[in-house]
């Protein structure tokens, strides 16, 4: 493809981006989001475990609790009430869907600006002196930008007229999805809790209390499910000097640090063994022989009963517990 066709392509991409941006501003300025019920709006994230999250909807909501899920991509404003009510009733599928739609909408504005900025830099790039290989790379970048722009446009459709009263339930819905067995939500919530959406936390400070109440049950469910992410989060949280939110909840405990690290070692791939063994030696130095023996037995029993021979491959070095939601 000639450099002139590339320039034409770049101009078309930039024009599409700018047009979509103007459309997004128009849509964002004309919405009239529904209000939360007065009794629920104050603190949806600070409710006790098992209590229902607020439903943004008409006062009376009629729906079949056994109804099928709405089609993917349906505007969240249209289906929020149904998904929230089904999730409140214990529907794990609805909770997972609602969490991911909320997360996407929460990130949409940042995604829009990032996409426009990157596309602008790309289309301003001079192509006159590029060789054939560089032009192919440039074409691939343009095609990637077009894909990202389509995703932004899909996000605008999904998130049309979704206001803060809906977006502010992200943390609480993360917790609810975790309670209902969503392993990704559980790992992310244990790792960051309501700090995942810090903007929402400022409006709902009681969400920290909810995290304190719910984390223990989520730890137990994660161990019962054989989730190595939970084990890694725990061995790190119990390590002396840890500064994580989970560490603040569980507190420093060298015995528990050793036992979770020992369990992690039993499932670790061979290339990790030497490093973890060094960590275990440091932790073991602070324990009595009886404590080490008890911790070793606990680790062996837990591995046998809950982990079914699985390895820790799902927790690569530097893994992010919230990566499935965009980190």
């Amino acid at each position: 493809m000639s450099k002139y066709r590339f320039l034409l392509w770049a101009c078309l991409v930039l024009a599409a981006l700018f047009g979509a941006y103007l459309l997004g501003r128009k849509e964002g300025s004309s919405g009239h989001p529904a209000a939360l019920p007065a009794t629920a709006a104050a603190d949806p994230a600070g409710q006790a475990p098992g209590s229902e999250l607020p439903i943004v909807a008409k006062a009376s909501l009629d729906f079949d609790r056994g109804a099928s899920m709405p089609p993917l991509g349906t505007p969240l404003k249209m289906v929020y009430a149904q998904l929230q009510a089904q999730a409140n009733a214990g529907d794990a599928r609805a909770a997972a869907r609602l969490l991911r739609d909320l997360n996407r909408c929460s990130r949409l504005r940042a995604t829009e600006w990032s996409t426009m900025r990157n596309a602008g830099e790309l289309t301003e790039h001079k192509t006159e002196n590029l060789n054939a290989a560089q032009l192919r790379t440039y074409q691939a970048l343009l095609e990637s930008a077009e894909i990202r722009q389509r995703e932004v446009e899909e996000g605008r459709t999904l998130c049309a007229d979704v206001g803060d009263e809906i977006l502010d339930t992200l943390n609480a819905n993360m917790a609810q999805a975790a309670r209902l067995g969503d392993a990704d939500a559980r790992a992310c919530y244990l790792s960051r809790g309501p700090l995942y959406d810090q903007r929402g936390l400022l409006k709902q400070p009681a969400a920290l209390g909810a995290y304190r109440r719910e984390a223990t049950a989520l730890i137990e469910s994660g161990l019962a499910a054989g989730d190595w992410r939970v084990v890694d989060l725990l061995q790190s949280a119990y390590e002396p000097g840890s500064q994580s939110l989970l560490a603040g909840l569980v507190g420093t405990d060298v015995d528990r640090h050793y036992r979770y690290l020992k369990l992690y070692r039993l499932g670790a791939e061979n290339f990790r063994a030497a490093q973890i063994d060094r960590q275990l030696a440091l932790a073991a130095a602070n324990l009595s022989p009886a404590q080490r023996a008890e911790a070793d037995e606990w680790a062996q029993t837990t591995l046998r009963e809950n982990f079914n021979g699985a390895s820790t491959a799902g927790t690569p070095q530097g893994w992010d517990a919230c990566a499935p939601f965009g980190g």
Side-chain angles (χ1 to χ4, degrees), residues 5-67:
R5 292 180 65 187
F6 277 108
L7 288 172
L8 177 59
W9 179 276
C11 291
L12 290 173
V13 170
L14 183 58
L17 289 171
F18 185 67
Y21 169 64
L22 292 178
L23 177 61
R25 291 188 62 185
K26 180 180 179 181
E27 291 175 346
S29 63
S30 62
H32 300 281
L36 277 174
T39 57
D43 186 17
Q47 301 176 16
S51 62
E52 292 190 348
L53 286 160
I55 299 172
V56 177
K58 57 185 179 180
S60 173
L61 176 67
D62 297 323
F63 82 101
D64 178 2
R65 292 182 183 271

Side-chain angles (χ1 to χ4, degrees), residues 37-204:
T39 57
D43 186 17
Q47 301 176 16
S51 62
E52 292 190 348
L53 286 160
I55 299 172
V56 177
K58 57 185 179 180
S60 173
L61 176 67
D62 297 323
F63 82 101
D64 178 2
R65 292 182 183 271
S68 60
M69 299 283 287
L72 290 173
T74 304
L76 179 57
K77 183 71 177 293
M78 294 173 56
V79 299
Y80 175 84
Q82 176 186 346
L83 291 175
Q84 187 70 83
Q86 288 182 241
N88 290 348
D91 187 333
R93 296 174 310 143
R97 162 78 173 276
L98 179 56
L99 169 59
R100 284 154 180 80
D101 282 358
L102 281 169
N103 187 66
R104 186 174 181 183
C105 292
S106 179
R107 291 173 172 270
L108 178 61
R109 185 58 59 85
T111 302
E112 287 176 328
W113 283 106
S114 174
T115 299
M116 289 193 62
R117 182 179 64 250
N118 293 338
E121 293 172 355
L122 181 62
T123 54
E124 291 171 4
H125 187 76
K126 304 299 182 182
T127 62
E128 289 83 353
N129 298 321
L130 298 182
N131 59 33
Q134 290 171 329
L135 284 173
R136 286 193 295 271
T137 299
Y138 185 66
Q139 181 183 21
L141 291 173
L142 285 173
E143 291 171 351
S144 177
E146 185 180 16
I147 292 171
R148 289 195 297 271
Q149 179 57 30
R150 285 201 298 268
E151 292 173 348
V152 167
E153 291 169 355
E154 291 170 358
R156 288 198 183 101
T157 299
L158 175 71
C159 305
D161 296 333
V162 172
D164 286 350
E165 75 285 347
I166 290 178
L167 295 179
D168 287 346
T169 68
L170 176 58
N171 281 329
N173 275 293
M174 174 81 74
Q176 179 148 272
R179 287 195 302 270
L180 293 176
D182 187 319
D184 289 338
R186 179 175 58 215
C188 183
Y189 188 71
L190 282 174
S191 175
R192 297 193 197 174
L195 298 181
Y196 180 75
D197 178 19
Q198 298 181 42
R199 181 186 63 87
L201 174 60
L202 287 175
K203 300 179 182 180
Q204 300 153 358

